[in-house]
Amino acid sequence: MVLVIHGIPFSGIGILDAKHYRIEPATPEILKSEEYLAKHPFGQIPVMEDTETGAVIYESRVICKYIANKFHSPLLPSPTDLAAWIAFEQACSIEASRFDTYASPLARETVLGPARGIPTDHHVVEKFKPLLQVQLRGYDRILGKQRYLAGEKLTLVDLFHLSYGETAVAGGAAPGLIDGSLPNVARWWKEISSLPAWSAAKALTKG
Ligand SMILES: N[C@@H](CCC(=O)N[C@@H](CS)C(=O)NCC(=O)O)C(=O)O
C-alpha cells in the first residue's frame, strides 16, 4: 500500500490497482484542520501522499499524472516523444480552460450543490450551458479528425473530462455530450464514459 488518497476516488484512480492505494475519507472538519491545510493550502480534496517517497500532491490532474508516471501507465505519453507529449499537453490545456471552466460550475449548480442542500443558481446554469456547447463544437472538430482528444490513443486527458462531464450530463446541463447534435463528441463521450477504469472509480465512490 504505497499511496494514501485523502478524499474520494476520481477518474484517474481507475487506472491503478487497488493494492497500491488506500482511501482516507476527508470530512469538512478535517479539510479545515491545520494538519490538512499543510498538505492542501486550499483545503480541498483530493490529496495524495506517496509513503515511499514522502511526496504530498494536490490537484487531481497532477495526482493522475504522478500515478500514471510512477506505475508506467500507457495513458501518459512519453516525454521523449515530443509530438505525442505536446499533443497531450495541448489537450490538457483545452480540458482545463475550455471544458472544466464551464462543466464544473454546471455540475456544482445542478447536482453537487443541491445534493448538499444548496439551491441551484439558475442564472449560472443559463449562462454556462450555452458556453459549454460552444466549446464542445470545437471538440467536435478535433474529434472529427482523431479518435481521442490528444490523438489516436486514449490518454489521461480523456479521463479528466469524466467526473464533472458525467455530473453535468446528469444535471441536464451538458446535452451536447450525449444528444448527437455533435456526432464526434457523442461517439467519444460514449466510449470514454463506458471505460472499465471509470466504472471502477465510480464503484469505489459508491463505497
Ligand atoms: N482543481 C481541483 C478542484 C478540487 C475540488 O474542487 N475539490 C472539491 C471536491 S470535487 C472539494 O474539495 N470540495 C469541498 C470543499 O471545497 O470544501 C482538483 O482538481 O483537485
Side-chain angles (χ1 to χ4, degrees):
M1 202 69 74
V2 177
L3 305 179
V4 180
I5 313 276
H6 299 268
I8 52 166
F10 46 96
S11 52
I13 294 297
I15 64 173
L16 193 57
D17 194 303
K19 69 174 184 265
H20 293 307
Y21 68 91
R22 71 183 156 84
I23 306 282
E24 287 275 326
T27 61
E29 292 68 40
I30 291 174
L31 297 188
K32 288 187 208 112
S33 70
E34 285 307 317
E35 192 190 346
Y36 191 85
L37 287 168
K39 293 177 183 147
H40 193 316
F42 302 96
Q44 289 194 312
I45 56 169
V47 165
M48 189 215 69
E49 293 185 67
D50 185 336
T51 57
E52 218 169 48
T53 64
V56 178
I57 300 171
Y58 55 92
E59 287 297 330
S60 57
R61 293 158 183 82
V62 181
I63 296 172
C64 289
K65 289 179 186 178
Y66 182 93
I67 292 171
N69 213 309
K70 185 171 173 105
F71 295 98
H72 311 293
S73 166
L75 292 174
L76 197 60
S78 162
T80 58
D81 181 345
L82 187 58
W85 183 256
I86 283 305
F88 175 72
E89 284 300 327
Q90 182 173 262
C92 287
S93 194
I94 292 169
E95 188 275 332
S97 62
R98 300 178 184 278
F99 186 84
D100 187 69
T101 302
Y102 307 104
S104 120
L106 286 168
R108 262 200 308 276
E109 291 301 333
T110 58
V111 175
L112 303 174
R116 292 163 62 193
I118 303 164
T120 300
D121 182 336
H122 292 285
H123 294 294
V124 173
V125 178
E126 292 319 308
K127 185 173 168 194
F128 282 83
K129 201 171 155 180
L131 292 175
L132 177 62
Q133 185 70 9
V134 169
Q135 299 302 329
L136 290 179
R137 281 192 212 126
Y139 271 68
D140 206 58
R141 287 181 202 109
I142 297 168
L143 294 164
K145 294 187 190 141
Q146 59 196 47
R147 186 164 171 189
Y148 300 105
L149 199 59
E152 292 307 323
K153 282 177 70 179
L154 178 74
T155 62
L156 272 184
V157 72
D158 298 296
L159 305 188
F160 292 168
H161 294 78
L162 288 168
S163 187
Y164 283 134
E166 195 162 280
T167 310
V169 165
L177 286 173
I178 52 165
D179 66 9
S181 59
L182 302 167
N184 302 306
V185 166
R187 184 260 310 148
W188 167 76
W189 186 254
K190 190 171 175 205
E191 183 179 342
I192 64 168
S193 58
S194 316
L195 287 168
W198 178 229
S199 304
K202 283 193 291 186
L204 282 168
T205 310
K206 283 180 190 131

